[in-house]
Amino acid sequence: MTVTSTARRSAALLLALGSMANAQSVFKLDTDDEIRASARTLAYDTMLYYHGNETGQTPGILPGPPPGGDYYWWEGGALWGTMLDYWHYTGDSSYNSVISQALLFQVGEGVDYQPRNHTASLGNDDQGFWGMSAMLAAELNFPNPPSDQPQWLALAQAVWNTQAAPDRHDETCGGGMRWQIPLSNNGYNYKNTIANGCFFNLGARLARYTGNSTYMKYAEETWDWLVNIGYIADNWDIYDGAHVESNCTDINKAQFSYNAAVLLQGMAYLYDFTDGSQRAMWKTRIDGLLARTLEVFFPDNIAYEVSCEPGLTCTTDMYSFKGYVHRWLTNLVQLVPDTADKIKPVLKTSAQAAVNQCVGGDSQRACGFSWKSGKFDGKMGAGQQMNVLAAVSTLLVDSAKGPLTASSGGTSKGDVNAGSNSPYQREHAPITTGDRAGAGILTVIVLAAATGTFGWMSWER
Ligand SMILES: *[C@@H]1O[C@H](CO)[C@@H](O)[C@H](O)[C@H]1NC(C)=O
Ligand SMILES: *[C@@H]1O[C@H](CO)[C@@H](O)[C@H](O)[C@H]1NC(C)=O
Ligand SMILES: *[C@@H]1O[C@H](CO)[C@@H](O)[C@H](O)[C@H]1NC(C)=O
Ligand SMILES: *[C@@H]1O[C@H](CO)[C@@H](O)[C@H](O)[C@H]1NC(C)=O
């Protein structure tokens, strides 16, 4: 080997090392201080996508909905849940006033998270995501709004009340809720797991928080329906949904991680709320669904969106799912202690993989979505940032309190009648005899319209 070629080789090596150094993540997770510092930067980068508190912008929402911007209304609700958890796990209250303003601005005319501005994409799941964030605010004892403003618990109850109303549970498919709320929306003919899963989740949490078992009764009914209709399969696969025209037999078997996670989180609350044989029953179900969830969505112990990630077909919505899974599985660690040993090592490995690929963008620390590949995939966005923020902040679970209840320190004020001024409640009031002829014609029109969109899937909004 000549001196020249050695020199050339070292130069090449230095170059290679240089580019490796560039691809080195700035986020460290080895100590709690490093985790807090990483989460702080991730929260900052996430909030760069939010402009709602700037002059002339609408508080609460991410830029959108399409085509005006990338994000549907619901993802704003999901962002605030992520930021509430960020505050809770890290103790950084810098964003609390922004979070509060956002959650209060979007309550809508009926104070039940069905704002008129967003009826065109208003699904029960969309409303549910905002409701679950309000519920989280109550459970975390997030500072209560002034008394002349809506309160967190009452907002969660308003969402639940509007969804528990008979008009949301028609007879097609033997019950269950439809995906969309307004009957003119695309997707009104689809009954899916996420819409019903959010209702299940909220009911479970309201039961535990308030001690009122009526909420649990509805959650159990929803669970039974999901099992009977076949969306929760015997092997614990969780399917997406089906159409009312087939009486929900044309099941779309695509599996999305947030469907499994929204059910697991709700189950954890019911496990904590119940005792005796009921508690044992929920534990058996939790063990079954948890094992399958880790198997399907965490190959190599790294979060993976199996229905869209391999084919690069994930939508903006889907780009945010991994964060919910990390956050909601962390609630299992808190409420079902026996699951901690199974969950924590997986979430830790997954979070490390998540930060490893956050080396993109001008900042060289933007996150993509392909955690398992170990490489930044160029797909930046609010969801991708929220995912990693969630994965990192929840690593602090051991030093954070679990969700509170009204009897363990939760101070949010409720209202069992909240949501009774809902515009949709009036529009779709339970059918009386006098309405039946009209309702029949409506059904024919809806069915005719629905046939045109038959085969259309829940993620193609
Ligand atoms: C909006 O919120 C961000 C935090 O995300 C903050 O830095 C900024 O000052 C706020 N802007 C206004 C106009 O309040
Ligand atoms: C509804 O949209 C209008 C027009 O963009 C906006 O001014 C208003 O603040 C929005 N209201 C809500 C609750 O988002
Ligand atoms: C529709 O599905 C429900 C639930 O599986 C079932 O109880 C009902 O009998 C079915 N109706 C028809 C007409 O097949
Ligand atoms: C329990 O919740 C149900 C459903 O909202 C409500 O009708 C009932 O009044 C509540 N019971 C109590 C004691 O608050």
Side-chain angles (χ1 to χ4, degrees):
M1 196 183 287
T2 66
V3 173
T4 325
S5 81
T6 310
R8 222 180 270 138
R9 273 213 197 178
S10 342
L13 190 66
L14 276 175
L15 269 176
L17 280 174
S19 62
M20 266 172 69
N22 280 343
Q24 209 42 233
S25 172
V26 301
F27 300 113
K28 304 263 177 296
L29 306 178
D30 294 328
T31 66
D32 282 4
D33 283 343
E34 285 179 356
I35 293 170
R36 262 187 292 273
S38 294
R40 193 184 183 85
T41 303
L42 288 160
Y44 178 87
D45 288 352
T46 299
M47 289 298 284
L48 293 178
Y49 286 92
Y50 179 65
H51 301 288
N53 65 338
E54 294 163 14
T55 313
Q57 303 283 326
T58 306
I61 59 172
L62 286 163
D70 285 345
Y71 305 97
Y72 285 100
W73 176 71
W74 76 277
E75 200 161 337
L79 167 64
W80 308 120
T82 307
M83 292 304 291
L84 283 167
D85 269 345
Y86 166 72
W87 159 70
H88 177 65
Y89 290 109
T90 65
D92 177 9
S93 58
S94 319
Y95 300 99
N96 283 12
S97 59
V98 181
I99 299 171
S100 206
Q101 181 200 31
L103 284 171
L104 292 173
F105 195 86
Q106 289 297 326
V107 299
E109 296 75 8
V111 197
D112 55 5
Y113 288 121
Q114 305 183 89
R116 235 168 248 144
N117 278 359
H118 296 285
T119 47
S121 67
L122 189 62
N124 282 297
D125 52 345
D126 303 56
Q127 186 194 16
F129 262 86
W130 284 90
M132 292 190 293
S133 290
M135 187 73 227
L136 182 62
E139 291 164 348
L140 301 184
N141 240 349
F142 187 63
N144 292 315
S147 58
D148 63 343
Q149 296 284 307
Q151 303 297 308
W152 310 131
L153 178 59
L155 283 165
Q157 288 171 309
V159 170
W160 187 89
N161 285 341
T162 58
Q163 297 196 345
D167 59 290
R168 295 271 169 108
H169 301 259
D170 63 281
E171 282 310 304
T172 57
C173 312
M177 281 199 303
R178 290 166 184 260
W179 176 31
Q180 291 295 307
I181 299 170
L183 47 74
S184 53
N185 282 12
N186 269 351
Y188 184 73
N189 61 334
Y190 194 65
K191 288 198 171 177
N192 59 0
T193 299
I194 192 61
N196 290 281
C198 289
F199 180 59
F200 167 79
N201 182 295
L202 206 46
R205 294 163 72 173
L206 284 169
R208 177 180 176 273
Y209 189 94
T210 64
N212 180 340
S213 57
T214 304
Y215 297 115
M216 179 169 75
K217 189 176 133 272
Y218 279 73
E220 286 169 338
E221 276 173 22
T222 297
W223 177 272
D224 291 344
W225 180 78
L226 286 166
V227 170
N228 289 339
I229 206 73
Y231 295 179
I232 299 176
D234 289 343
N235 70 345
W236 294 107
D237 279 350
I238 307 294
Y239 302 139
D240 194 70
H243 296 89
V244 298
E245 294 85 347
S246 76
N247 198 28
C248 295
T249 57
D250 66 332
I251 297 180
N252 168 12
K253 294 194 170 172
Q255 296 199 63
F256 291 99
S257 60
Y258 75 154
N259 282 327
V262 82
L263 294 174
L264 274 170
Q265 188 195 27
M267 291 154 89
Y269 282 79
L270 289 179
Y271 169 87
D272 188 61
F273 180 55
T274 51
D275 50 27
S277 61
Q278 272 189 313
R279 183 173 233 221
M281 179 190 74
W282 286 112
K283 182 59 169 50
T284 306
R285 293 169 174 178
I286 287 169
D287 289 343
L289 182 52
L290 176 61
R292 188 68 184 143
T293 299
L294 295 179
E295 190 178 6
V296 173
F297 299 106
F298 288 87
D300 304 335
N301 293 344
I302 299 170
Y304 189 65
E305 199 56 53
V306 68
S307 289
C308 68
E309 201 171 329
L312 305 178
T313 54
C314 299
T315 63
T316 301
D317 286 355
M318 295 169 197
Y319 280 139
S320 70
F321 291 175
K322 291 177 184 178
Y324 315 135
V325 178
H326 270 258
R327 286 172 48 218
W328 299 345
L329 288 183
T330 301
N331 290 120
L332 260 75
V333 170
Q334 293 170 321
L335 296 170
V336 193
D338 181 51
T339 63
D341 289 347
K342 292 186 196 103
I343 296 175
K344 280 169 62 179
V346 176
L347 294 189
K348 193 162 180 9
T349 304
S350 184
Q352 185 63 57
V355 296
N356 286 351
Q357 54 84 45
C358 294
V359 295
D362 293 341
S363 65
Q364 302 201 340
R365 63 171 197 238
C367 307
F369 191 64
S370 309
W371 298 5
K372 203 160 83 68
S373 76
K375 296 201 181 69
F376 177 68
D377 59 9
K379 297 182 171 56
M380 297 177 282
Q384 291 87 324
Q385 287 300 137
M386 279 158 62
N387 288 338
V388 183
L389 171 60
V392 170
S393 9
T394 51
L395 291 176
L396 297 166
V397 58
D398 287 340
S399 45
K401 273 192 196 156
L404 300 172
T405 69
S407 57
S408 71
T411 59
S412 186
K413 288 220 164 37
D415 173 5
V416 285
N417 297 315
S420 50
N421 292 325
S422 159
Y424 292 104
Q425 219 69 7
R426 286 195 300 273
E427 224 172 82
H428 301 164
I431 297 167
T432 63
T433 326
D435 290 334
R436 273 190 207 284
I441 292 163
L442 207 52
T443 308
V444 171
I445 295 168
V446 170
L447 279 175
T451 318
T453 53
F454 194 78
W456 165 94
M457 301 300 187
S458 85
W459 57 87
E460 294 172 359
R461 300 205 212 217

